[in-house]
Amino acid sequence: MSVDLHHVESGPADAPPLLLGGSLGTTTAMWAPQVAALSTVFRVIRFDHRGHGGSPIPPGPYGMADLAGDVVALLDRLGIERAHYAGLSIGGMVGQWLAVHHADRLDRLALLATSPHAGPADPWRERAALVRAQGTGAVADTVVSRWFTPGFAAEHPHDVTVLRDQIAATSPEGYAGCCEAVAGHDVREDLAGVTTPTLVIAGAEDPATPPAAHANVIAARVPGARLVTLTDAAHLLSWQRPDEVNALLTRHFSVGAGE
């Protein structure tokens, strides 16, 4: 059963709607570097995944179908028939699920630092068990260390702290349930059927989803997908390279809209 996702809107109400789905352990605040730029062109709708931020926290485990179903329910609640969608990490996994199973609700899709299959399930289930036992603070430092390149982290310690605190403040049950959704995620054999125009953005130095094993696979399998790999960027590339990401997203979502 779907839940009513917490969401925040910005930009003109009559502009093309653009949903932004964030990384595991983040809130709508993860997209702060995108809001001003994207809201000049789009009706930007940032949302918290179930179990995150201000969204409800049903007991886990969750499946990717649950997370995607929540997004479809949000569209229905807002009276939006079709929307653009950009998702990073687990947000990108939700985007892939939508493109495979709910393509009629999408106009264009952007997949950032994400994967069609995040590897063996056991490490994700072990992480879920850890946060249920010890809280999300037990994984926050390790997780955020993979989100930025070492140079960026050294130069921007406040940014690292802000994102680390988002992870640590996430509900253990919500975080664990989403870990279990990632554990069961595998759309590799479905991507060839995706018809939604797709942009794939990767960070060249992303240790969480290395491009060769993840973004490149998506781009090779989704018909007509465009792949852009950003240098000097790790997993949270929307934060580390906001100007480039904002420009890429704006161009991609403006195609066919009089750009």
Side-chain angles (χ1 to χ4, degrees), residues 143-157 159-160 202-208 230-241:
V143 170
V144 81
S145 72
R146 299 161 68 83
W147 281 7
F148 300 113
T149 59
F152 182 91
E155 293 174 11
H156 301 86
D159 294 39
V160 175
E205 299 177 56
D206 181 358
L230 299 177
T231 59
D232 193 28
H235 193 58
L236 209 68
L237 47 83
S238 59
W239 195 285
Q240 185 167 352
R241 300 290 299 276

Side-chain angles (χ1 to χ4, degrees), residues 122-144:
D122 284 350
W124 291 101
R125 293 181 180 130
E126 290 165 3
R127 191 191 301 190
L130 175 62
V131 298
R132 283 194 176 103
Q134 299 182 25
T136 44
V139 301
D141 289 321
T142 299
V143 170
V144 81

Side-chain angles (χ1 to χ4, degrees), residues 136-186:
T136 44
V139 301
D141 289 321
T142 299
V143 170
V144 81
S145 72
R146 299 161 68 83
W147 281 7
F148 300 113
T149 59
F152 182 91
E155 293 174 11
H156 301 86
H158 176 70
D159 294 39
V160 175
T161 299
V162 166
L163 274 302
R164 188 260 176 215
D165 289 349
Q166 280 190 43
I167 299 167
T170 302
S171 153
E173 182 61 22
Y175 190 99
C178 285
C179 284
E180 288 158 337
V182 174
H185 173 67
D186 188 353

Side-chain angles (χ1 to χ4, degrees), residues 28-253:
T28 58
M30 191 207 89
W31 296 105
Q34 279 63 60
V35 174
L38 297 181
S39 296
T40 63
V41 184
F42 306 105
R43 174 187 176 186
V44 176
I45 304 164
R46 295 173 285 155
F47 65 88
D48 292 328
H49 298 291
R50 62 167 60 195
H52 287 61
S55 289
I57 310 168
Y62 312 150
M64 208 58 65
D66 298 318
L67 275 64
D70 294 340
V71 174
V72 172
L74 176 61
L75 290 173
D76 290 343
R77 186 154 46 100
L78 297 176
I80 298 171
E81 183 177 350
R82 294 172 65 89
H84 301 309
Y85 182 96
L88 188 148
S89 197
I90 191 174
M93 296 177 192
V94 172
Q96 292 168 69
W97 186 272
L98 291 169
V100 171
H101 298 281
H102 299 282
D104 60 314
R105 308 306 298 269
L106 297 181
D107 279 328
R108 301 179 72 83
L109 175 66
L111 303 173
L112 290 69
T114 192
S115 175
H117 173 60
D122 284 350
W124 291 101
R125 293 181 180 130
E126 290 165 3
R127 191 191 301 190
L130 175 62
V131 298
R132 283 194 176 103
Q134 299 182 25
T136 44
V139 301
D141 289 321
T142 299
V143 170
V144 81
S145 72
R146 299 161 68 83
W147 281 7
F148 300 113
T149 59
F152 182 91
E155 293 174 11
H156 301 86
H158 176 70
D159 294 39
V160 175
T161 299
V162 166
L163 274 302
R164 188 260 176 215
D165 289 349
Q166 280 190 43
I167 299 167
T170 302
S171 153
E173 182 61 22
Y175 190 99
C178 285
C179 284
E180 288 158 337
V182 174
H185 173 67
D186 188 353
V187 294
R188 288 174 293 181
E189 298 307 314
D190 302 311
L191 294 179
V194 170
T195 57
T196 305
T198 300
L199 169 67
V200 183
I201 308 177
E205 299 177 56
D206 181 358
T209 51
H214 301 277
N216 294 10
V217 174
I218 298 172
R221 297 193 180 196
V222 173
R226 179 189 176 207
L227 171 64
V228 177
T229 302
L230 299 177
T231 59
D232 193 28
H235 193 58
L236 209 68
L237 47 83
S238 59
W239 195 285
Q240 185 167 352
R241 300 290 299 276
D243 292 344
E244 292 89 340
V245 168
N246 294 345
L248 287 166
L249 294 179
T250 300
R251 284 198 298 269
H252 177 65
F253 292 129

